[in-house]
Amino acid sequence: MTLGTAAAAPRHAAPVIGLAVAAVGLSTTLPLPLYGAYAAAGGHGAGALALAFACYAAMVIATAPLLGPLPDRIGRKPCVLLGLGFAALSTLVLGLQPGLGALALARAAQGLGMGCVAGAAAAWAAELAGGGPDGGSGGAGQAARIVAAATIGSFATGGVLTLLALWVAPATYPPATFALHLGFAALLLVLVWRLPETLPPGVPRGAWLRRPAFPRGTWPTTLAILPGWGVTGTVLTSVPAALAAAGLPGAGPLAACAMMGFGVLAQLALRRLAPRRAVGWGLGLLVAGAAACFWGAAVQALWPLLLGGVAVGVAVYALVYPGGLAAVAEAATGEERARAVAGYFVVAHAGFSAGPLAVGLAVDALGVPLALGGTWVLVALAAAGLGRRLRRG
């Protein structure tokens, strides 16, 4: 970035970029309360729903080597604009053609959208704030906090907003939040387009692909995200599908929103914990929360379902996930750090896709109590094994 770019950057640049990230994040959670309805409308079970849901993670894994270095190849602004476009496309598809096929396409578009903005937005906001490519100023730090808050806030509120829209007008489809999101994304496309690019022309752009890396000593904290995101994905897919089939279509989305909302809020309160300690505590809480949530889903008991969802959210979003991410970031430097973070996300999204898919297929084949009970046993065994590795250091 040149000095002229920093001076010419409008003061509202970081908030605009933060709102763009929020628009992309909202696209991933706005349709969450409708997952069970999409599956039921086509006569599909939990396995089909989990397969459509997994398209997001599969797209992130498949494109991570390319999308990671893309902001340094084509610029920050084009990446954020692409992310907004994919987010709007996902909402449009679901609004026009509701169903699992549309959900699969929308989830793939959401994965591409998040992949485009994940690295570009934070770097762009920091550079426009005067921090340079390494984000070394106070303004750059404030910009990074704005982008992080936008990400957390959008994940926490998307499903809640659609739940409220359905409560006000239960017979209306698409819900009002879909149209509002499309308008929000369109406005931000215009505002983002007006911001200056910070990647100087003519500088070396690096490789097109970034291979993931796994720093030595970080495997226990990295592998902990497999059961963590596996359980959260199950709460987002198989639990709502099972409860909808039992005549409780609103209970599953409520538990999922509680999981995400309380989880991301707790992330702000617990972010100073040491990485290995955070992961260890998170695994213990995950086992307890999954037991309550799965039992509530199996017997259609609302309070264990909600309390378990909250516990799972705190365990994963506030402890296991940030702890594991911090561990790999501390174990690597420079370009290796970027590759290490990419490796962590590949493992995380593998858990977010393969885990819920396996549980969904088990629910269809074995029934809800047996499938969720067996899943809890596997989670407990994985947590116990990883916990021992973490204590050994």
Side-chain angles (χ1 to χ4, degrees):
M1 183 185 72
T2 65
L3 292 177
T5 302
R11 296 183 64 180
H12 64 268
V16 167
I17 295 170
L19 289 173
V21 173
V24 178
L26 283 170
S27 73
T28 68
T29 54
L30 282 175
L32 191 155
L34 296 162
Y35 284 0
Y38 292 153
H44 300 290
L49 174 58
L51 182 60
F53 174 83
C55 289
Y56 172 93
M59 184 60 69
V60 172
I61 293 172
T63 60
L66 175 62
L67 294 183
L70 197 62
D72 293 329
R73 296 291 312 184
I74 67 172
R76 280 70 161 128
K77 180 162 73 172
C79 287
V80 175
L81 290 171
L82 281 171
L84 283 168
F86 282 121
L89 175 64
S90 73
T91 300
L92 183 63
V93 166
L94 286 173
L96 294 176
Q97 191 66 41
L100 282 193
L103 179 61
L105 180 59
R107 291 292 289 170
Q110 291 161 13
L112 285 171
M114 286 304 297
C116 286
V117 302
W124 194 23
E127 290 162 8
L128 286 174
D134 297 322
S137 74
Q142 178 65 19
R145 286 190 288 273
I146 289 173
V147 171
T151 305
I152 292 171
S154 62
F155 286 160
T157 59
V160 174
L161 292 175
T162 296
L163 276 177
L164 291 174
L166 293 172
W167 179 67
V168 172
T172 302
Y173 191 90
T177 48
F178 282 31
L180 291 173
H181 180 257
L182 288 173
F184 186 44
L187 173 62
L188 284 164
L189 281 170
V190 175
L191 294 177
V192 168
W193 181 266
R194 295 169 63 88
L195 295 178
E197 174 61 67
T198 56
L199 186 67
V203 300
R205 301 296 177 98
W208 274 104
L209 298 177
R210 178 181 292 154
R211 290 173 295 139
F214 302 94
R216 189 172 183 178
T218 62
W219 275 112
T221 51
T222 295
L223 291 178
I225 198 60
L226 286 174
W229 273 18
V231 171
T232 60
T234 299
V235 175
L236 292 169
T237 54
S238 293
V239 167
L243 290 168
L248 298 169
L254 190 60
C257 289
M259 176 186 73
M260 299 182 73
F262 280 91
V264 296
L265 290 175
Q267 186 182 103
L268 299 175
L270 300 174
R271 63 183 183 273
R272 296 187 183 278
L273 282 176
R276 294 177 75 90
R277 176 177 294 181
V279 173
W281 287 5
L283 286 171
L285 184 58
L286 175 68
V287 173
C293 189
F294 291 172
W295 181 70
V299 302
Q300 294 92 51
L302 183 60
W303 285 111
L305 177 73
L306 293 178
L307 292 174
V310 169
V312 168
V314 174
V316 179
Y317 291 109
L319 295 169
V320 173
Y321 165 59
L325 188 59
V328 298
E330 290 177 2
T333 58
E335 175 63 21
E336 283 300 308
R337 177 173 293 163
R339 294 178 59 214
V341 170
Y344 182 78
F345 277 113
V346 166
V347 175
H349 284 95
F352 206 45
S353 55
L357 178 58
V359 176
L361 294 174
V363 167
D364 290 343
L366 305 174
V368 175
L370 189 57
L372 292 183
T375 300
W376 181 83
V377 170
L378 293 176
V379 169
L381 290 174
L386 289 167
R388 284 196 295 269
R389 292 290 303 272
L390 289 169
R391 286 191 294 273
R392 284 202 292 258

